[in-house]
Amino acid sequence: MSDDRTHVQEFFTARAADWDRRFPDDGPAYAAAVAELGLREGGRVLDAGCGTGRALPPLRAAVGPSGVVLGADLTPAMLAAAREAGRDQEGQLLLADVAALPLRSRSLDAVFAAGLIAHLARPEENLRELARVVRPDGTLALFHPIGRAALAARHGRRITAEDLRAEPNLRPLLAASGWRMTSYVDEDDRFLALSVRAD
């Protein structure tokens, strides 16, 4: 296990039990972001870095009972919290690293990733792995329930020019990883970058 993986697991293990209580009002923002993925009945979608599974209910609602919803996370404690909240009823939970997903190539219609990009050890490689499992013209949503400035302020920091989520950085990163960005929103109450698999 790499130091990056260990750091991520330690960070989220320490916070898993009270994660949902810390952010109790995010549900509508998740539902609104999922709605922009354009999922259809019977679709196949992955919540990459699913954490406690807050996106799983709206993802299930979007694809219906005939669809496939997967939630993958690196941290067992976060998946345990998802099960405790009953969200394993909305989709299958996988203990998996987004750097090496146990999924067939081109097997999904979309990937939803909330707060994931800040925790990727190798962003270009990791985003390319997400592209691998999505069909051509499939979609990727990089989401956070608050924007970059609000998130930085929450942590007592300022936005820097190196922030991967800044549009001038994110657009070429996605392009190098097999994605074409189609929309970008960075407002106080949400961050959402949508992309389409380029080939």
Side-chain angles (χ1 to χ4, degrees):
M1 182 179 294
S2 73
D3 289 342
D4 291 322
R5 285 172 49 106
T6 301
H7 173 74
V8 169
Q9 285 181 319
E10 289 174 350
F11 179 88
F12 285 106
T13 296
R15 293 161 175 79
D18 69 342
W19 189 263
D20 286 352
R21 285 191 296 274
R22 290 176 63 201
F23 309 107
D25 302 321
D26 288 347
Y30 273 78
V34 166
E36 295 204 35
L37 268 175
L39 292 165
R40 295 181 179 157
E41 184 84 18
R44 300 172 61 88
V45 61
L46 168 69
D47 182 2
C50 68
T52 62
R54 291 181 293 171
L56 298 181
L59 289 171
R60 171 56 67 196
V63 301
S66 65
V68 173
V69 177
L70 305 171
D73 202 275
L74 183 63
T75 306
M78 291 298 259
L79 295 176
R83 288 186 193 93
E84 188 174 318
R87 296 183 185 124
D88 57 329
Q89 303 302 306
E90 308 292 346
Q92 181 182 353
L93 299 177
L94 306 171
L95 179 62
D97 188 341
V98 298
L101 291 164
L103 301 172
R104 292 189 326 272
S105 296
R106 303 182 175 206
S107 60
L108 302 174
D109 298 302
V111 173
F112 184 86
L116 178 70
I117 194 165
H119 301 285
L120 297 179
R122 296 173 183 82
E124 186 175 327
E125 288 178 31
N126 301 154
L127 289 167
R128 188 174 292 119
E129 173 66 355
L130 296 181
R132 180 188 68 78
V133 300
V134 173
R135 63 170 171 77
D137 295 323
T139 53
L140 168 67
L142 298 176
F143 166 73
H144 201 283
I146 60 176
R148 292 187 311 124
L151 183 61
R154 176 188 285 174
H155 295 291
R157 297 192 296 259
R158 292 184 181 195
I159 297 176
T160 67
E162 294 78 31
D163 184 350
L164 283 182
R165 292 162 293 189
E167 186 173 7
N169 300 330
L170 187 58
R171 188 178 294 276
L173 172 62
L174 286 163
S177 307
W179 298 99
R180 178 176 52 82
M181 188 190 292
T182 57
S183 69
Y184 180 91
V185 176
D186 182 16
E187 300 169 342
D188 281 348
D189 59 353
R190 75 167 177 165
F191 174 90
L192 182 63
L194 295 174
S195 299
V196 172
R197 181 174 163 176
D199 59 354

